[in-house]
Amino acid sequence: MSELLNNSEIAAALEMQPQWEREGDTLVRAATFPTFLTGLAAINDIATLAEEANHHPDIDIRWRTVHFRCTTHSKGGITQLDVNLAQAIEDVISKHQPS
Ligand SMILES: C[C@H](O)[C@H](O)[C@H]1CNC2=NC(N)=NC(=O)C2=N1
């Protein structure tokens, strides 16, 4: 699960997650929320999932826009853990958007 993915595996994962992009050894996503506090509520939910997975995104909060970066620091690149985390983050982002 935490072995480095090759380029085609990463490309296939991104096909499933079109909101995410690859920046070198990291999967990245910028999400804009209705309010600053909504963004923080989403981050709180993501933090719980990250703790459960023992795999954590890098998070950069810019008012209502939150930048997520997923990479496996201990491996120095992208693993299935990052793909799974990106999917979990995407699900939380969707839940915190206006219906
Ligand atoms: C001991 C090590 O820090 C832990 O296994 C986890 C914590 N969360 C982590 N998160 C991420 N993104 N990469 C890691 O290598 C990682 N390691």
Side-chain angles (χ1 to χ4, degrees):
M1 177 74 88
S2 66
E3 292 314 306
L4 291 175
L5 299 179
N6 63 39
N7 289 334
S8 55
E9 289 168 326
I10 295 168
L14 289 171
E15 285 280 313
M16 308 291 284
Q17 291 294 341
Q19 303 276 12
W20 288 74
E21 294 178 340
R22 178 181 183 177
E23 269 182 21
D25 290 332
T26 306
L27 300 179
V28 301
R29 164 80 150 105
T32 299
F33 295 91
T35 68
F36 177 66
L37 293 180
T38 312
L40 288 178
I43 289 167
N44 193 59
D45 290 350
I46 289 162
T48 299
L49 296 173
E51 279 293 283
E52 287 165 359
N54 189 33
H55 200 70
H56 305 79
D58 301 335
I59 302 172
D60 178 355
I61 306 167
R62 307 284 176 105
W63 187 33
R64 298 188 299 126
T65 297
V66 182
H67 298 260
F68 299 97
R69 300 175 66 83
C70 300
T71 189
T72 301
H73 299 292
S74 57
K75 298 285 185 184
I78 299 168
T79 69
Q80 190 60 40
L81 295 172
D82 300 305
V83 174
N84 296 349
L85 182 57
Q87 175 62 63
I89 290 171
E90 199 59 34
D91 293 346
V92 172
I93 291 170
S94 302
K95 290 191 178 82
H96 287 78
Q97 296 301 335
S99 45

